[in-house]
Amino acid sequence: MSSEARGVPVVGMAGGGQLARMTQQAAIPLAVELRVLTGSAGDSAARVIPGSTIGDERDAADLSAFAAECDVLTFDHEHVPQPVLRELEHSGHTVRPSAAALEHAQDKAHMRQALGAAGLPCPDFAVVSDAEEARRFAVRLGADTVVLKAITGGYDGKGVWLCPVDELVSCEAFAAGRPVLAEELVRFERELAAVVVRRPSGDVVAYPVVESVQAEGICVEVLAPAPGLPTAVAQAARDVAVGVAELLDVVGVLAVELFATADGAVVVNELAMRPHNTGHWTIEGAVTSQFENHLRAVLDLPLGAPDLVAGPTVMANLLGSDAPALHANLASVLGRDPGVHVHLYGKQVRPGRKIGHVTVVGEPGSDVDGLRHRASAAVRGLRGEGGDDT
Amino acid sequence: MSSEARGVPVVGMAGGGQLARMTQQAAIPLAVELRVLTGSAGDSAARVIPGSTIGDERDAADLSAFAAECDVLTFDHEHVPQPVLRELEHSGHTVRPSAAALEHAQDKAHMRQALGAAGLPCPDFAVVSDAEEARRFAVRLGADTVVLKAITGGYDGKGVWLCPVDELVSCEAFAAGRPVLAEELVRFERELAAVVVRRPSGDVVAYPVVESVQAEGICVEVLAPAPGLPTAVAQAARDVAVGVAELLDVVGVLAVELFATADGAVVVNELAMRPHNTGHWTIEGAVTSQFENHLRAVLDLPLGAPDLVAGPTVMANLLGSDAPALHANLASVLGRDPGVHVHLYGKQVRPGRKIGHVTVVGEPGSDVDGLRHRASAAVRGLRGEGGDDT
């Protein structure tokens, strides 16, 4: 019998990475049939989802054939080209978030222009074609350093350059000969993320605002909620995220990465319209995970509670090291800490690649440093870096 | 590349029901490759586990071929015949729990004899061949009613008869012409379940003892922990379960269903050696779910913490009604209670069949009646029984 005949909703996800993989954990209890279109049967999500379609999720024909089998199409990443997305919508497929919304997660200049025009807090910015235009932007700001970003395609610190004005002429940002986004360097105290989920009807839930600890442009740790964050700043961050979701008519998860400055302001750094690394803690730490709420949202089902289940929660990313034998290290990590949650993505291990994460949920009032210590010890253990907890 | 070459452990499960399905949720984060051998690609677990093997999991040849592809074989149910299990072990396959242990979950007479001989608390019992032998057993007890049980194959109230002594001659229990187990009718105040998990090394973790609320021999609700249970009774129940696990050398989840009597005693009713209905609440309510701990145990990995994540937790079973349109009712159920966790098993709906469950996790100190009310309202909503919460 076809799944349609059983009345089971079918959600198709373009891309088969760890986000699709973790979405399967949420799809199982809801009896939502999750399908992925991905490049290889060995991809992270394809290993755990039956009947994955092997193909190119950026290709109009492959994606159109895939979407025809699904009630709704959603995304593991933001790399499906706009013309493909527009064509799918034009053909009558349900695409969530929409092509128009997704464009703001794909094109940083487009995002800055839209948010800036709506009065949402952003760094000062300009689209520049070369080093000379970037220099003039810096002079206008009175800045000795600017941030340059590839307008499309950057991730995890790639496609971002912090450049002193007198070195602009040799900055790699201009090597491709394409316009780049020049931004004011925001002097921030810490980085926050506000994850919200929105239904087509407009209902929104907002997870507690988290602190995202970065190293070399990669998120290494998430503290939920952001420790000691003044209520007014948390509210401002949430308001910005809800504002962005409404402005851009986002459906599904929207993660807004923000800079928090010393004077209590929040400034939008990046957007993502899919389950996001800063929301992985919700699997164990929140009543409803971001993955379940993403599914509910794209199916236009009522959203689940985003509240903490217990106390503060810490998530630490596991980045690939030169020691690939993850499972060989699992026993000692689990043996040292019976409360740690290990997530392995089933991906080939490469140095620096996100291949898993660990989560530790504290009791109400738990000491966050203690939780960070446990999460970090587990990550080091999985990387084969020994049992020394100090 | 084969999974073995990637160093990923492969767990094979005989049977593809909801227990295997929920085990997949736990296998994904651990990057354990879970495979099932089951009768149909439409079975509950086969819908969510790639590459399921279709075959007869009670057949020696099918099971042996399946086991050869797995590092360890474990079970969704207790219906694999003893000779098949023994042959698998003889062929060198790793079977957990072992054939010798499983026999006690398959054969109620065998279980009563073993537990009785070890001094574990059981009802008085006798294996009887006919009504006259059952009558003599009742006379010996001085009882006017006895419990008769099919020695093998009973479940969910099937294969159990409560029979007045003067009606024994017409009792259906003897219709098959096979010996049955006659037991003392235990006058209990309530039913408890103690779920423990044991590794091959002997390490054991014990979940909080729960109360199991039954209707017509089927568990309809589980209250975790059992409300108001005296510490001494909880400890006694846990001790019995750990004692059974050690006595029988169980590996994996062992669920011991118990009667609690007015004088504070606990008496063993039934055993199961697999994830059990009375442990479903652990998915959201405990730090480590019974499904994850079952996987850890059969792979001889250290066990996870069995403690409550937050406060009391209530699980209610969803039994099939005449209204099969589960997904049509999902929106209203989720809309009425953003904190309820719905689990649908992807099974064909038949009246009385277990087709899902719901779980509500309370804050520490929550009123259990309030949680029961929410769980019950969600179940009625899924059954299409309207939105009246009273």
Side-chain angles (χ1 to χ4, degrees):
Chain A
M1 192 185 306
S2 78
S3 56
E4 289 72 13
R6 287 185 297 119
V8 170
V10 180
V11 173
M13 198 169 253
Q18 65 261 29
L19 302 177
R21 180 183 177 98
M22 288 185 269
T23 304
Q24 170 72 339
Q25 281 178 262
I28 292 171
L30 291 177
V32 166
E33 185 169 329
L34 181 65
R35 297 182 187 171
V36 295
L37 171 63
T38 193
S40 156
D43 287 346
S44 179
R47 293 185 182 283
V48 302
I49 301 173
S52 300
T53 303
I54 307 308
D56 180 355
E57 76 263 24
R58 305 179 198 199
D59 175 81
D62 284 6
L63 201 47
S64 180
F66 177 70
E69 296 174 356
C70 305
D71 295 315
V72 56
L73 181 71
T74 188
F75 305 92
D76 171 83
H77 56 62
E78 45 276 300
H79 305 316
V80 179
Q82 274 291 316
V84 174
L85 294 170
R86 302 278 175 176
E87 188 180 323
L88 287 168
E89 289 181 342
H90 190 73
S91 308
H93 297 297
T94 304
V95 178
R96 289 176 175 161
S98 68
L102 269 172
E103 190 162 9
H104 301 87
Q106 297 176 316
D107 180 315
K108 292 185 205 299
H110 197 69
M111 181 268 280
R112 286 289 181 232
Q113 283 148 4
L115 270 56
L120 289 160
C122 289
D124 209 334
F125 72 94
V127 176
V128 298
S129 298
D130 54 30
E132 174 52 22
E133 285 186 26
R135 193 193 60 77
R136 271 182 270 150
F137 170 73
V139 168
R140 174 165 73 75
L141 293 183
D144 56 7
T145 301
V146 290
V147 178
L148 298 170
K149 292 179 175 175
I151 288 173
T152 60
Y155 70 100
D156 280 354
K158 292 183 180 60
V160 178
W161 299 268
L162 186 65
C163 193
V165 172
D166 54 13
E167 294 174 19
L168 280 168
V169 285
S170 57
C171 181
E172 195 191 337
F174 301 106
R178 282 194 294 269
V180 299
L181 185 68
E183 288 186 353
E184 167 194 8
L185 173 62
V186 177
R187 305 286 173 178
F188 59 87
E189 278 198 329
R190 56 177 166 172
E191 294 189 63
L192 304 176
V195 174
V196 299
V197 194
R198 186 169 175 273
R199 284 181 73 181
S201 65
D203 287 347
V204 178
V205 294
Y207 286 99
V209 174
V210 301
E211 177 169 348
S212 160
V213 181
Q214 311 262 331
E216 297 171 18
I218 299 180
C219 168
V220 291
E221 210 180 13
V222 170
L223 316 178
L229 192 69
T231 308
V233 179
Q235 190 59 53
R238 243 192 320 263
D239 288 349
V240 167
V242 171
V244 171
E246 291 175 345
L247 174 71
L248 306 182
D249 195 19
V250 177
V251 171
V253 170
L254 168 72
V256 180
E257 295 183 274
L258 300 141
F259 298 124
T261 63
D263 60 358
V266 293
V267 178
V268 175
N269 181 20
E270 305 284 354
L271 303 185
M273 293 179 198
R274 50 171 170 75
H276 190 255
N277 199 172
T278 57
H280 291 356
W281 69 274
T282 62
I283 298 174
E284 293 91 5
V287 174
T288 315
S289 81
Q290 67 166 346
F291 300 98
E292 177 166 344
N293 264 336
H294 187 74
L295 285 174
R296 292 197 194 189
V298 301
L299 289 168
D300 201 12
L301 288 168
L303 302 174
D307 314 282
L308 296 178
V309 166
T313 299
V314 172
M315 190 274 331
N317 277 330
L318 172 64
L319 304 179
S321 68
D322 296 325
L326 289 177
H327 275 281
N329 301 326
L330 191 56
S332 69
V333 168
L334 298 178
R336 277 208 301 273
D337 189 340
V340 72
H341 298 282
V342 172
H343 293 256
L344 303 177
Y345 301 155
K347 293 162 73 173
Q348 294 292 332
V349 177
R350 287 200 297 265
R353 189 184 203 195
K354 286 180 187 169
I355 54 172
H357 74 267
V358 303
T359 301
V360 181
V361 180
E363 295 176 9
S366 288
D367 167 50
V368 177
D369 286 339
L371 302 175
R372 295 178 73 175
H373 189 83
R374 288 170 58 194
S376 150
V379 163
R380 281 182 285 116
L382 289 166
R383 288 168 57 99
E385 292 168 10
D388 182 5
D389 281 5
T390 57
Chain B
M1 192 186 305
S2 79
S3 56
E4 290 71 14
R6 288 186 297 118
V8 170
V10 180
V11 173
M13 198 168 252
Q18 64 261 30
L19 303 177
R21 180 183 176 98
M22 289 186 269
T23 304
Q24 170 73 338
Q25 282 178 261
I28 293 172
L30 290 176
V32 166
E33 186 169 329
L34 181 65
R35 297 183 187 170
V36 295
L37 171 62
T38 193
S40 155
D43 287 346
S44 179
R47 293 185 182 282
V48 302
I49 300 174
S52 300
T53 303
I54 306 309
D56 180 355
E57 75 264 24
R58 304 178 199 198
D59 176 81
D62 284 7
L63 202 46
S64 179
F66 177 69
E69 296 174 355
C70 305
D71 295 316
V72 55
L73 181 70
T74 188
F75 306 92
D76 173 82
H77 55 64
E78 44 277 297
H79 305 316
V80 179
Q82 274 291 316
V84 174
L85 295 171
R86 302 277 175 177
E87 188 180 322
L88 287 168
E89 289 181 342
H90 190 73
S91 308
H93 296 298
T94 304
V95 178
R96 290 177 175 160
S98 68
L102 268 171
E103 190 163 10
H104 300 86
Q106 297 177 315
D107 181 315
K108 293 186 207 299
H110 196 69
M111 181 268 279
R112 285 286 181 234
Q113 283 147 4
L115 270 57
L120 289 159
C122 289
D124 209 335
F125 73 95
V127 176
V128 298
S129 297
D130 54 30
E132 174 53 22
E133 285 187 24
R135 193 195 58 79
R136 271 183 270 149
F137 170 73
V139 168
R140 173 165 73 75
L141 293 182
D144 55 7
T145 301
V146 290
V147 178
L148 298 170
K149 292 180 176 175
I151 288 173
T152 60
Y155 70 100
D156 280 355
K158 292 181 179 62
V160 178
W161 300 267
L162 185 64
C163 192
V165 171
D166 55 11
E167 295 175 18
L168 280 168
V169 286
S170 56
C171 182
E172 194 190 338
F174 302 106
R178 282 194 293 269
V180 300
L181 185 68
E183 289 186 351
E184 166 195 10
L185 174 62
V186 177
R187 305 286 173 178
F188 59 88
E189 278 199 330
R190 55 176 166 173
E191 294 188 64
L192 305 176
V195 174
V196 300
V197 194
R198 186 168 175 274
R199 283 180 74 181
S201 64
D203 288 347
V204 178
V205 295
Y207 286 98
V209 173
V210 301
E211 177 170 347
S212 160
V213 181
Q214 312 263 330
E216 296 172 18
I218 299 181
C219 168
V220 292
E221 209 180 13
V222 169
L223 317 178
L229 192 68
T231 309
V233 180
Q235 189 59 52
R238 245 193 317 265
D239 288 349
V240 167
V242 171
V244 172
E246 290 175 346
L247 174 71
L248 306 181
D249 195 20
V250 177
V251 171
V253 170
L254 168 72
V256 180
E257 296 182 275
L258 300 141
F259 297 124
T261 63
D263 61 357
V266 293
V267 178
V268 174
N269 182 19
E270 305 284 353
L271 303 185
M273 294 181 197
R274 50 171 170 74
H276 190 254
N277 199 172
T278 58
H280 291 355
W281 68 274
T282 62
I283 299 175
E284 293 90 6
V287 174
T288 314
S289 81
Q290 66 166 347
F291 300 98
E292 176 165 344
N293 264 336
H294 188 74
L295 284 175
R296 292 196 195 190
V298 301
L299 289 168
D300 201 12
L301 288 168
L303 302 173
D307 315 282
L308 296 179
V309 166
T313 298
V314 171
M315 190 276 328
N317 276 330
L318 172 63
L319 304 179
S321 68
D322 296 325
L326 289 177
H327 275 280
N329 301 326
L330 191 56
S332 70
V333 168
L334 298 178
R336 276 208 302 272
D337 189 341
V340 71
H341 298 281
V342 172
H343 293 256
L344 302 178
Y345 301 156
K347 293 162 73 173
Q348 294 291 333
V349 177
R350 286 201 297 265
R353 187 183 204 195
K354 286 179 186 170
I355 53 171
H357 73 266
V358 303
T359 301
V360 181
V361 180
E363 294 177 9
S366 288
D367 167 50
V368 176
D369 286 340
L371 302 175
R372 294 179 73 174
H373 190 82
R374 287 171 58 195
S376 151
V379 163
R380 281 183 284 116
L382 288 167
R383 288 168 58 97
E385 292 168 11
D388 182 3
D389 281 4
T390 57

